[in-house]
């Protein structure tokens, strides 16, 4: 008298295989879909003003620091005050409907509510100024902003990603005159620029300990 | 069997005096030893003994009850919210200004020079402001009363600004009103008042020129009105005393940096008298000996309580407050006998003073020592005469100082003695005072009250102050106030006085309004607002000027107007801008006065006020180190700061001596077997005392038995027991003002004290974080120091005699004098490829270190509050402190030294994280949340911490603090504005501890890195962080410069110098932790003829 069919003899084997495959899938799902690489890269929120970096920084070739004026002096790169926009737009396209929120902010004194794109955790104290002083350009973390119609996250901005560069910054170092030049690559370096980069690299001792970024 | 090899702690040297923390520790050394052996098995008793009282909202989290349904609902919601968060973080906005303000760089704090009233004079500050939000107070180096330092109360002022219980609008009776309503009301009223016959104004004493200009304007507009002054901790004895001695009232400034011998007559000049910060700075100047050949000052303290100054005394005489006067007279006789030229009348007046109870050494010994130091440097052999501090000076460098508790004639006698000793001018500098010394504050208040009782007051305007709470009880101020028709009270909150008044007006605090101040020596400074009035108030000077009819009464115009009158219109705008920038407009040019002493008048006053005999019980009133006279009564930092002397938190108590306690029948119950010292100590403290006196309402106060306190004297701290302070300060401690009468503001005689039933619940922190009996705070006399300059090491580091720990370190030891290894290759998976080496020619890395000079440290606790303010340290409430859960990163241990329970010496020791190079905490962390930085910092990554508390248990110094509850989560929104944005606010379940102010280190490093340049050839020009670029918050605040912080690899830095001084030692050096924090042994300078 046999209660269970013979095919059940394969049950342990099938179960083991299912567990192995399932475990593998689960590991993959977590590793890929729960990672900043999937969750954050590509975040592209709509802004109150349809400001185009491609137009301003790309086509017109404005330097990043015209608006993000603080980036070499402060933790924050800073989003410019409405004043900066109005510096040009009181003359250029003063009637444009798309600039209505800017004019409103200028008249009322109320801030424009930009949506934050690049956001680090509160316990990570990132400093723009020291990275620029060390020869790390905008493009390394923010990508080709000059080609973006709407700003999106280009890099995962995770701790592991930060540390990869802190442990080996060589590929991301560029001469101080090329910090905001997004077209420039290390292959374009002149001999003088190469010497400067070597100096910057020799000086670089980026922190790899906790208190370097967490306080 | 434990694998751990034994660590042989050196036994205390045989000649070393006993060191103890509490009376129980002293009486029961066996219990201390048992606790040390077993690490203390905590019986339930130690917790249940203190019937715990919940404190406001801080502990609400502890009491939150969650039922099953609530739990399910919450967890369901949390899961939903959490899962939704998996997709995308919530949308965050950036709000840039419409028009960017001048100078402001988002992310970079600005510092503004301003000034406040502190200790009766202007005090210069530098306030840090983050995007328009003031967060931290520092001293202004350019201002004479600060010289860069602050004290605990000034540090706490920033929290007063964000007090959630401040009133936001004027109030007429119970109904909400507006400033426009008040202005209208006053216009009508002023017309009705005419010459001002029924008008009175009550103010706090002020050093502000604008305040005094407004007073003059007021007097001109209302010639028949009068202005009264009241301050609960009244300095009028100073002014009346100098008027008595010289005929004119003077402000007195003592130069403790030059005084070689100081006799303090009931004067707490390091803690609660005017100019404590500069006093501490000067006093410490001679205590922190750099080498044995330098001369040192000597402090004699004669006092009627146990004060901060008494804790620092070389000799201390405990007296009943009424007998302090008699001591000074007896000393005057002795000084006369030793050749000091006293006026004839004075000699007659003091002749025949009884010397009962004063030993010959305290009379003749002190007198000789004072006279001997007319020419310093010849007192003992081996003195290096060429050092700056010893340079010959034919003025006497002995000075006698008298405190505010003592009546004017004692002050006058001290002035006469100082003049005869030849230290006016010199160590004592006299400057003209605003207060003319005609009328004391209590006389002024009494006159006002009598006028109110007589019905001649129609309108009373009270500008700041809280007289209903703190006026002497016998004059009946509160009742009289209720009978006045129109009463206006300007204050920060609807307090005890406001509730009785018909108008309440919100006061703009000093950090949010314009003003001006004058220091004793005449330095004028501008009080520059850091923020617009948060609650829409006006300052006292503004209201006074408005009432006085000054047309441009708004603070800015008022101050500019006053200053223009003082310094002239020529180049005024330039001076104004310079003054705002530097914090000082006019540097002092006034020369100290040198008036002759009117011996006859002093003698007459002495004869008139004959010394009465001591009564069985006398009461000394002291200003609380925490809340002062109650004005910081709702400041949770100050309430939780352990009192420097008693280590009490969230309470005041009646301090009595052990002998008095015994006489009153306070004795701990029989010691049960196996008890813990702190348990017994809790039983000993808190017995209720009934204190009564003829004609005064009796009060019941819990007793605190304080070794070193005078016998038959009860000390009552003011400033507690408030009923309308706010959410933190209401009903904390006992209000002792009902026991204070107009004739006994400083002390009262003829008091009866009996033991009442019941116990108060006192929480004292000194028993926490025990380091059981090991030699920690090490002291020696000057002679011992000269004999053995390395005395602290001699006592702790007996490595030759005892085997050192034989286990090697767990990992390769870093050489912290080498340059830092730069990043070259490596990934997350393989971080340290072997080829990583430092660049050629790279300079040494930073080696952060910290040295505390115990000889300079007075125990004032400024560092505790400075740290709290800088590092967002949580307040936990009385109940949690009772459980040993206080969060202060810096604690100040107070030890008693010596065998005499009645009269011990005191040693204080600030202890924060020692940043051990071989840190025991790091070995035991399962998640590497605490790890070492290449510069030797013991880093703490809060977001990694899972709260095992292994590190806390493994720390030999007991400096780690655990967030048992969500202490910061319940902080009101307004108070959160104080948080330092550069320091993470810690949540529940996270360990924290002193970080050496790592956020400041990183800021300085980033500045230095930005200034390090690379030219086109790749040449590197490096700028290093210098000693002036970086200070920890505690070091910056320290008024006595006891704390130094900096780079030990930098041979120019003060911290390097102190780390290599002969009396440097490390705590528990024998266990091999190699701490970065080290201490300099305390040196005392007793008079060899008196020992």
């Amino acid at each position: 008298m046999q209660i269970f069919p013979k095919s059940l003899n394969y049950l342990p084997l099938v179960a083991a295989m299912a567990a192995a495959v399932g475990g593998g899938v689960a590991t993959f799902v977590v590793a890929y879909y729960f990672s900043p690489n999937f969750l954050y890269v590509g975040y592209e929120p709509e802004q109150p003003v349809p400001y185009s970096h491609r137009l301003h920084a790309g086509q017109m070739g404005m330097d990043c620091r015209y608006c993000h004026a603080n980036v070499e002096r402060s933790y924050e790169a800073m989003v410019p005050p409405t004043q900066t926009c109005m510096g040009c737009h009181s003359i250029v396209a003063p009637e444009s409907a798309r600039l209505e929120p800017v004019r409103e902010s200028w008249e009322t004194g109320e801030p424009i509510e930009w949506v934050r794109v690049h956001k680090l955790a509160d316990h990570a104290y990132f400093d723009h100024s020291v990275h620029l002083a060390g020869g790390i350009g905008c493009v390394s973390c923010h990508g080709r902003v000059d080609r973006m119609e709407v700003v999106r996250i280009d890099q995962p901005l995770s701790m592991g990603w930060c540390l990869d560069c802190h442990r080996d910054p060589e590929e991301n170092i560029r001469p101080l005159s090329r910090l905001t030049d997004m077209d420039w690559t290390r292959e374009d370096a002149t001999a003088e620029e190469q010497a400067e980069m070597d100096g910057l690299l020799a000086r670089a001792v980026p922190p790899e300990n906790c208190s370097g970024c967490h306080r | 069997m434990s694998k751990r090899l034994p660590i042989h702690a050196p036994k205390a040297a045989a000649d070393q005096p006993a060191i103890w923390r509490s009376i129980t520790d002293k009486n029961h050394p066996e219990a201390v030893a048992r606790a040390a052996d077993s690490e203390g098995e905590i019986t339930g008793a130690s917790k249940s003994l203190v019937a715990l009282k919940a404190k406001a909202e801080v502990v609400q989290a502890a009491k939150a009850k969650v039922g099953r349904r609530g739990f399910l609902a919450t967890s369901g919601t949390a899961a939903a919210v959490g899962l939704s968060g998996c997709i995308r973080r919530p949308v965050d906005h950036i709000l840039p200004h419409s028009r960017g303000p001048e100078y402001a760089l988002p992310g970079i704090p600005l510092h503004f020079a301003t000034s406040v009233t502190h200790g009766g004079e202007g005090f210069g500050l530098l306030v840090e402001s983050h995007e328009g939000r003031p967060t931290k107070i520092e001293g202004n180096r350019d201002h004479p009363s600060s010289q860069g330092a602050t004290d605990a109360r000034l540090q706490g002022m920033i929290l007063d600004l964000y007090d959630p219980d401040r009133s936001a609008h004027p109030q007429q009776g119970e109904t909400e009103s507006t400033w426009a309503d008040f202005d209208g009301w006053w216009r009508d009223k002023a017309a009705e008042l005419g010459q001002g016959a029924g008008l009175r104004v009550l103010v706090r004493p002020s050093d502000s020129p604008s305040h005094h200009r407004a007073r003059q304007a007021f007097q001109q507009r209302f010639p028949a009105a009068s202005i009264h002054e009241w301050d609960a901790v009244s300095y009028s004895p100073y002014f009346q005393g100098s008027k008595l001695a010289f005929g004119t009232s003077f402000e007195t400034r003592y130069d403790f940096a030059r005084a070689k011998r100081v006799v303090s007559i009931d004067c707490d000049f390091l803690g609660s008298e005017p100019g404590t910060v500069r006093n501490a700075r000067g006093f410490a100047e001679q205590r922190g000996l750099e080498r044995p050949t330098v001369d040192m000052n000597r402090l004699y303290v004669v006092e009627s309580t146990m004060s901060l100054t008494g804790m620092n005394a070389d000799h201390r005489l405990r007296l009943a407050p009424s007998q302090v006067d008699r001591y000074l007279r007896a000393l005057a006789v002795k000084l006369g006998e030793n050749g000091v030229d006293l006026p004839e009348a004075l000699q007659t007046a003091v002749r025949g003073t009884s010397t009962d109870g004063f030993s010959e050494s305290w009379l003749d010994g002190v007198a000789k020592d004072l006279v001997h130091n007319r020419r310093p440097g010849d007192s003992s052999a081996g003195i290096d005469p060429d050092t700056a501090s010893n340079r010959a000076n034919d003025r006497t460098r002995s000075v006698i100082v008298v405190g505010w508790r003592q009546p004017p004639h004692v002050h006058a006698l001290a002035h006469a003695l100082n003049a005869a000793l030849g230290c006016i001018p010199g160590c004592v500098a006299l400057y003209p005072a605003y207060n003319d010394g005609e009328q004391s504050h209590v006389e002024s208040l009494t006159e006002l009250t009598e006028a109110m009782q007589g019905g001649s007051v129609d309108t009373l305007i009270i500008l700041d102050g809280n007289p209903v709470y703190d006026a002497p009880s016998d004059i009946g101020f509160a009742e009289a106030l209720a009978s006045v028709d129109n009463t206006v009270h300007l204050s920060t909150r609807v307090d005890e006085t406001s509730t009785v008044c018909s108008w309440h007006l919100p006061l703009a605090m000093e950090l949010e309004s314009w003003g001006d101040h004058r220091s004793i020596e005449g330095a004028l400074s501008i009080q520059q607002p850091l923020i617009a009035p948060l609650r829409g108030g006006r300052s006292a000077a503004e209201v006074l000027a408005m009432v006085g009819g000054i047309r441009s009464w708004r603070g800015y115009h008022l101050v500019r107007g006053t200053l223009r009158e003082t310094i002239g219109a020529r180049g005024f705008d330039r001076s104004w801008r310079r003054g705002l920038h530097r914090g000082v407009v006019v540097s002092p040019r006034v020369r100290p006065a040198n008036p002759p002493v009117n011996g006859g008048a002093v003698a007459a006053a002495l004869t008139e006020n004959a010394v009465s005999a001591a009564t069985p019980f006398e009461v000394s009133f002291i200003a609380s180190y925490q809340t002062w006279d109650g004005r910081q009564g709702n400041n949770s930092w100050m309430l939780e700061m352990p009192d420097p002397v008693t280590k009490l938190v969230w309470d005041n108590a009646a301090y009595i001596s052990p002998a008095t306690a015994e006489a009153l029948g306070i004795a701990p119950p029989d010691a049960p077997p196996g008890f813990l010292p702190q348990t017994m100590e809790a039983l000993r403290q808190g017995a209720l005392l009934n204190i009564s006196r003829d004609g005064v309402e009796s009060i019941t106060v819990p007793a605190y038995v304080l070794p070193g306190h005078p016998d038959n004297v009860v000390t009552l701290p003011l400033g507690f027991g408030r009923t309308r302070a706010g959410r933190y300060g209401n009903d904390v401690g006992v209000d002792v003002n009902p026991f204070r009468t107009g004739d006994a503001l400083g002390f009262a005689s003829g008091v009866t004290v009996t033991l009442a039933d019941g116990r108060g619940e006192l929480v004292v922190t000194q028993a926490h974080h025990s380091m059981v009996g090991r030699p920690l705070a090490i002291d020696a006399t000057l002679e011992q120091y000269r004999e053995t300059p390395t005395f602290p090491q001699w006592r702790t580091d007996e490595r030759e005699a005892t085997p050192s720990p034989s286990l090697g370190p767990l990992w390769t030891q870093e050489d912290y004098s080498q340059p830092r290894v730069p990043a070259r290759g490596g990934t997350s998976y393989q971080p340290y490829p072997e080829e990583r080496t430092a660049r050629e020619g790279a300079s040494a890395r930073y080696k952060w270190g910290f040295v505390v000079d115990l000889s300079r440290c007075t125990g004032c606790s400024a560092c505790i509050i400075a740290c709290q303010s800088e590092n967002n340290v949580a307040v936990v409430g009385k109940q949690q402190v009772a459980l040993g859960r206080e969060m202060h990163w810096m604690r100040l241990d107070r030890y008693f030294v010596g065998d005499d329970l009645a009269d011990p010496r005191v040693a204080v020791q600030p202890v924060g994280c020692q940043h051990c190079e071989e840190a025991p905490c790091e070995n035991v962390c399962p998640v590497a949340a605490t790890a070492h930085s290449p510069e030797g910092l013991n880093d703490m990554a809060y977001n990694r911490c899972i709260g095992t508390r292994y590190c806390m248990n493994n720390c030999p110094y007991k400096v780690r603090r655990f967030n048992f509850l969500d202490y910061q989560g319940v902080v009101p929104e307004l108070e959160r504005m104080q948080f330092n944005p550069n320091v993470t606010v810690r949540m529940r379940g996270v360990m924290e501890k002193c970080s050496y102010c790592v956020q400041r280190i990183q800021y300085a490093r980033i500045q230095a890195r930005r200034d390090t340049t690379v030219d086109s050839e790749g040449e590197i020009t490096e700028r290093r962080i210098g000693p002036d670029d970086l200070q920890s918050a505690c070091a910056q605040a320290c008024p006595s410069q006891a704390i130094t912080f900096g780079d030990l690899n930098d041979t120019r830095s003060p911290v390097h110098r102190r780390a290599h001084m002969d009396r440097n030692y490390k705590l528990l050096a024998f266990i091999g932790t190699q701490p970065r924090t080290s201490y300099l042994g305390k040196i005392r300078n007793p008079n060899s003829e008196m020992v």
Side-chain angles (χ1 to χ4, degrees), chain B residues 741-804:
Chain B
T741 56
D743 60 339
L745 285 182
F747 61 90
S749 303
V751 176
T752 318
V753 179
T754 52
L755 195 58
D757 288 338
R759 308 186 57 76
E761 303 143 0
L762 299 183
V763 177
V764 182
T765 60
Q766 181 60 48
H768 300 168
H769 313 295
S770 162
M771 299 212 279
V772 286
R774 296 157 187 149
L776 302 174
I778 298 177
D779 65 345
T781 63
L782 187 59
E783 273 77 48
Q784 286 167 330
Y785 173 52
R786 285 186 176 143
E787 216 168 89
T788 323
T790 56
F791 68 93
Q793 295 151 27
W794 156 67
R795 283 186 186 178
T796 55
D797 196 359
E798 299 182 3
R799 289 203 176 178
E800 283 79 17
T802 50
S804 59

Side-chain angles (χ1 to χ4, degrees), chain B residues 163-222:
Chain B
D163 190 329
D165 296 315
R166 286 177 62 185
S167 54
H169 46 75
Q171 202 172 302
Q172 189 171 16
E174 293 286 302
T175 48
E176 200 171 305
S177 182
T178 62
W179 276 101
D181 286 347
F182 173 75
D183 291 342
W185 175 85
W186 169 249
R187 226 177 352 258
D188 299 344
K189 192 80 219 167
E192 195 183 300
L193 283 165
Q195 292 286 301
L199 177 61
R200 303 281 175 138
V201 176
L202 179 63
V203 297
R204 266 187 179 159
S206 174
D207 56 80
S208 156
S210 289
H211 171 95
H212 288 275
R213 183 163 79 101
R215 278 173 85 149
Q216 280 169 7
F218 175 85
Q219 288 291 14
Q220 271 168 17
R221 184 176 177 195
F222 299 109

